[in-house]
Amino acid sequence: MDAVRLILTSRLALAGSRGVPEILTEVWQAQALAQAIGSRLAVSGPPELRGEALGLTELAGRGCGVLNAPALDPGNLRAAQLTALDDARQTLLCLGGLLGEVGIALVGVASAADDEGTYWQCMEAIDAADESRDRVLEMLRKLADRDQVLPER
């Protein structure tokens, strides 16, 4: 499935999630998807994005690692459904929005957390999402710089 469709599916699922376990599952799904997109861009994306994409892969992996991995059927893992990344710019624009929404959802969970463990888990996941989003924004900047340098056809 195309990256943009998967991101939009994740955004809808995150917006519709209710309760801490469901929100954290959707946050984990979003981070896993960001990791898969970063990996795909690092291997076969535009050359100027590969370093940042590798960084995105590592940061999003950290975002997954700080959260308890949900018990998902392999067919429900969105990152595993990624088969196409047709438009790097559109994918990154959508991914940046998703990561921003992940941060907002995590702030909500952290502020209502009953235990310190959940609070700190959310704080670390917020940091990972913010840093991942920073990488996405840097890749978008590099694409914009590349487009300004390329001659008109």
Side-chain angles (χ1 to χ4, degrees), residues 14-99:
L14 180 62
S17 59
R18 301 290 177 248
V20 172
E22 191 176 345
I23 292 170
L24 293 179
T25 294
E26 290 307 325
V27 165
W28 188 92
Q29 285 261 44
Q31 288 284 24
L33 182 56
Q35 185 179 27
I37 290 169
S39 180
R40 179 72 58 100
L41 287 170
V43 171
S44 59
E48 60 271 10
L49 300 186
R50 291 186 180 159
E52 293 295 332
L54 186 57
L56 172 61
T57 300
E58 293 171 4
L59 289 165
R62 191 181 93 212
C64 287
V66 299
L67 298 170
N68 296 325
L72 291 172
D73 181 283
N76 292 331
L77 180 60
R78 286 187 205 104
Q81 297 172 24
L82 178 63
T83 58
L85 200 154
D86 296 329
D87 182 345
R89 180 182 320 293
Q90 187 62 34
T91 298
L92 291 169
L93 285 168
C94 291
L95 184 59
L98 174 61
L99 291 168

Side-chain angles (χ1 to χ4, degrees), residues 9 30 42 53 55 63 69 98 148 150:
T9 299
L98 174 61
Q148 286 180 340
L150 292 177

Side-chain angles (χ1 to χ4, degrees), residues 81-152:
Q81 297 172 24
L82 178 63
T83 58
L85 200 154
D86 296 329
D87 182 345
R89 180 182 320 293
Q90 187 62 34
T91 298
L92 291 169
L93 285 168
C94 291
L95 184 59
L98 174 61
L99 291 168
E101 291 167 8
V102 160
I104 292 167
L106 286 166
V107 166
V109 172
S111 64
D114 291 334
D115 63 287
E116 209 171 299
T118 301
Y119 174 81
W120 286 112
Q121 185 180 32
C122 288
M123 289 294 110
E124 290 181 40
I126 290 167
D127 285 345
D130 285 344
E131 290 178 35
S132 294
R133 188 167 185 268
D134 289 345
R135 293 291 173 125
V136 167
L137 294 174
E138 181 62 20
M139 285 188 276
L140 285 167
R141 186 193 63 74
K142 286 183 178 192
L143 285 175
D145 288 349
R146 178 192 70 180
D147 291 347
Q148 286 180 340
V149 173
L150 292 177
E152 295 279 330

